[in-house]
Amino acid sequence: MSTQGSSGELRVGMVGYAFMGAAHSQAWRTVNRVFDLPVRATMVAVCGRDGAKVADAASRLGWAEAVTDWRELIARDDIDVIDVCTPGDSHAEIAIAALEAGKHVLCEKPLANTVEEARAMVAAAAKARALGVRSACGFNYRRVPAVSLMRNLIADGRLGAIRHVRAVYLQDWITDPNFPLVWRLQKDKAGSGALGDIGAHIIDLTQFVTGQQITGVTGITETFIKERPLPEASSGLSASAGATTGEVTVDDAAVFVARLSGGGLATYEATRFATGRKNGLKVEINGELGSLVFDLERLNELEYYDATKPAAEQGFSRILVTEGEHPYLSAWWPPGHIIGYEHSFTHEMRDFIEAVATGQDPTPSFEDALQVQLVLDAVEKSDASWVSVLA
C-alpha cells in the first residue's frame, strides 16, 4: 500500500506527456509554490512509450526521471500518485491497476471510452477508497474561479429555480479536410469525437454549477469529413499528413437537448467545425430570479442579471472575478490582475493534494465522471432516432 513520503511529500508519477501531460506538469511544478498545503508534490517520474521523447519531456516538463513502462511506474515504492494523461483507450487499464496497487489516481477526462469501462473504474475506486486510496477525474474547468463563483451564487439561491441551461463548446482545428487522422479521430482510441472530447466538459460544468443532473437526452451527431490522410507524425493537436487515407470513426459535431433533475431544459453543442472558434466554451444559466453567463474567452469574468432589482436598474452586469475572496484567488495577485487557462490545473492539483493529505475524497469522483459517461452514451444512442419532416 502506497503512503505519503515520510518527509511530507506526495510523490507523483505521470503517464503521458503531450498536451494534457504538459498542462498537468505545469500544475505539479507550480502548486506548492503558490498554495500553502499539508504536503509537497514531488515530480518523480513521467512515462511514455518512446524512450527518447519521454526523456526529452522529463527534462522540459520538470520530472526527475523518464520511464517507458507504466506498469513499472505503478510497481515502484517511491510513487504515491498516478496521474493518467493518456488517450482514453488506456484509462481503465492504467487507473484500475494503479488503484489495486494502492496508488492514488488522478485521471483525465472523459473517464473512459465506454460505460462498461467507467463502471469498472468506479468499482475499483470504491474498493480502494475503503483502504484510504483516493481517486478523481480531471475536469479542470470546475477550477476556474469564475465557474466556482457561478456555482456558489446558484447554490445561494441567487437565480431561484433553474429554467434553462445553454452550453456550447466550439473549436475549428479539424476544419481542413487534409488535417491528418490523429488518435482523437479514431473511436478505438478516443471513444468519441467532439462529443466526448469537449462535450464532456460542458456536461460536467453545467451539472457542477447547477447542482443538478441530466436525466434524459435526445441528440444528433455528424461526421463531416469521412476520410483523412494518415499521419506521418503527430504531437498534441498538431500533425503532418501522409499520402494514404483512413476512415474517421468519431463524430465531428454533436448537438443535443436534455432534461435536468430540477425540471429545467438544457441545450448542448460540441463541435470541432465551428470555423473561427478556437476554444469557445460558453454557458448561460437562466433562473426565475436572474441569469449568469460564463465565457471561457473571458475567464476572469461573469455576467449577472438580477431580476429582483427594480426595472429601471435591471441589466446584465460584469463581475470581475479577481478579488481575494473569490474562489482560489487569495493565493494569486492583487485585484484586477487576471489569471489564465493553466491556473485551472494548478487549482485542480491544489484540491487533489489537500483531499489526499487530509483523508478526504477529492472531486469530481469517478462516480461523477461515470454520470458524464452515461450522458455521452445516451446521446450516441439517441442519434439512432430520427423523425423526417414530411410535406
Side-chain angles (χ1 to χ4, degrees):
M1 183 67 59
S2 175
T3 59
Q4 291 167 204
S6 59
S7 60
E9 297 175 301
L10 198 64
R11 301 162 298 181
V12 183
M14 187 176 74
V15 188
Y17 55 84
F19 175 26
M20 277 301 101
H24 282 222
S25 298
Q26 166 96 354
W28 290 120
R29 287 198 310 270
T30 305
V31 63
N32 286 111
R33 292 176 171 84
V34 177
F35 292 98
D36 184 14
L37 294 170
V39 297
R40 174 168 292 278
T42 303
M43 298 168 66
V44 176
V46 61
C47 180
R49 289 171 293 188
D50 186 305
K53 290 182 179 178
V54 74
D56 175 69
S59 176
R60 284 187 295 105
L61 300 177
W63 296 90
E65 298 178 44
V67 300
T68 57
D69 186 347
W70 61 262
R71 293 172 183 84
E72 172 193 330
L73 196 65
I74 287 172
R76 289 173 58 156
D77 291 332
D78 62 342
I79 299 289
D80 304 305
V81 175
I82 296 295
D83 184 1
V84 184
C85 294
T86 59
D89 61 330
S90 59
H91 283 189
E93 184 180 15
I94 297 171
I96 291 171
L99 289 167
E100 289 177 346
K103 312 298 186 186
H104 309 293
V105 173
L106 177 62
C107 183
E108 255 305 319
K109 49 56 60 187
L111 186 63
N113 276 4
T114 68
V115 168
E116 291 72 26
E117 288 177 345
R119 289 193 191 280
M121 294 171 75
V122 166
K127 186 177 179 180
R129 187 181 301 123
L131 301 173
V133 179
R134 311 297 171 181
S135 55
C137 189
F139 284 102
N140 65 295
Y141 292 132
R142 287 187 176 210
R143 268 70 187 200
V144 173
V147 171
S148 291
L149 178 62
M150 191 182 209
R151 173 184 169 90
N152 294 346
L153 292 171
I154 292 172
D156 287 344
R158 302 290 283 274
L159 300 191
I162 302 301
R163 305 304 191 201
H164 289 285
V165 167
R166 202 166 295 106
V168 300
Y169 203 154
L170 312 176
Q171 296 180 344
D172 73 350
W173 60 276
I174 56 172
T175 53
D176 181 355
N178 292 314
F179 186 88
L181 187 69
V182 296
W183 69 265
R184 292 177 187 271
L185 306 181
Q186 302 172 51
K187 189 173 182 63
D188 62 330
K189 296 181 177 66
S192 64
L195 177 62
D197 184 20
I198 55 179
H201 271 302
I202 52 177
I203 292 167
D204 180 74
L205 192 157
T206 54
Q207 292 187 136
F208 171 67
V209 299
T210 62
Q212 299 183 24
Q213 290 192 339
I214 293 171
T215 60
V217 301
T218 185
I220 99 179
T221 63
E222 183 58 66
T223 303
F224 299 113
I225 306 297
K226 312 295 194 215
E227 287 197 353
R228 290 182 176 275
L230 296 178
E232 289 184 333
S234 64
S235 176
L237 300 181
S238 62
S240 58
T244 57
T245 63
E247 182 185 3
V248 176
T249 51
V250 299
D251 59 281
D252 288 330
V255 179
F256 66 97
V257 297
R259 290 191 180 276
L260 302 177
S261 55
L265 297 178
T267 62
Y268 296 84
E269 180 183 5
T271 179
R272 300 189 290 212
F273 270 74
T275 305
R277 297 297 182 187
K278 304 306 174 185
N279 201 37
L281 185 161
K282 190 171 184 178
V283 171
E284 180 169 329
I285 313 293
N286 304 134
E288 62 177 335
L289 302 179
S291 294
L292 283 163
V293 182
F294 170 72
D295 184 343
L296 182 61
E297 293 181 349
R298 300 167 64 184
L299 64 73
N300 292 275
E301 302 176 22
L302 275 183
E303 289 184 81
Y304 173 46
Y305 184 94
D306 185 354
T308 67
K309 288 185 175 181
E313 300 174 16
Q314 289 179 8
F316 275 96
S317 60
R318 168 180 172 264
I319 302 174
L320 183 62
V321 188
T322 60
E323 296 293 330
E325 57 264 38
H326 286 144
Y328 302 105
L329 287 169
S330 62
W332 293 104
W333 317 120
H337 292 71
I338 60 176
I339 62 172
Y341 170 76
E342 72 276 12
H343 293 77
S344 64
F345 294 96
T346 305
H347 301 158
E348 181 179 295
M349 303 322 175
R350 178 258 186 205
D351 289 349
F352 185 83
I353 292 169
E354 189 164 78
V356 168
T358 58
Q360 305 298 311
D361 289 321
T363 60
S365 65
F366 278 16
E367 288 85 354
D368 295 329
L370 170 60
Q371 160 66 16
V372 175
Q373 202 80 43
L374 289 168
V375 175
L376 298 175
D377 184 66
V379 173
E380 287 191 318
K381 288 177 177 175
S382 75
D383 193 30
S385 302
W386 189 259
V387 178
S388 297
V389 178
L390 302 176

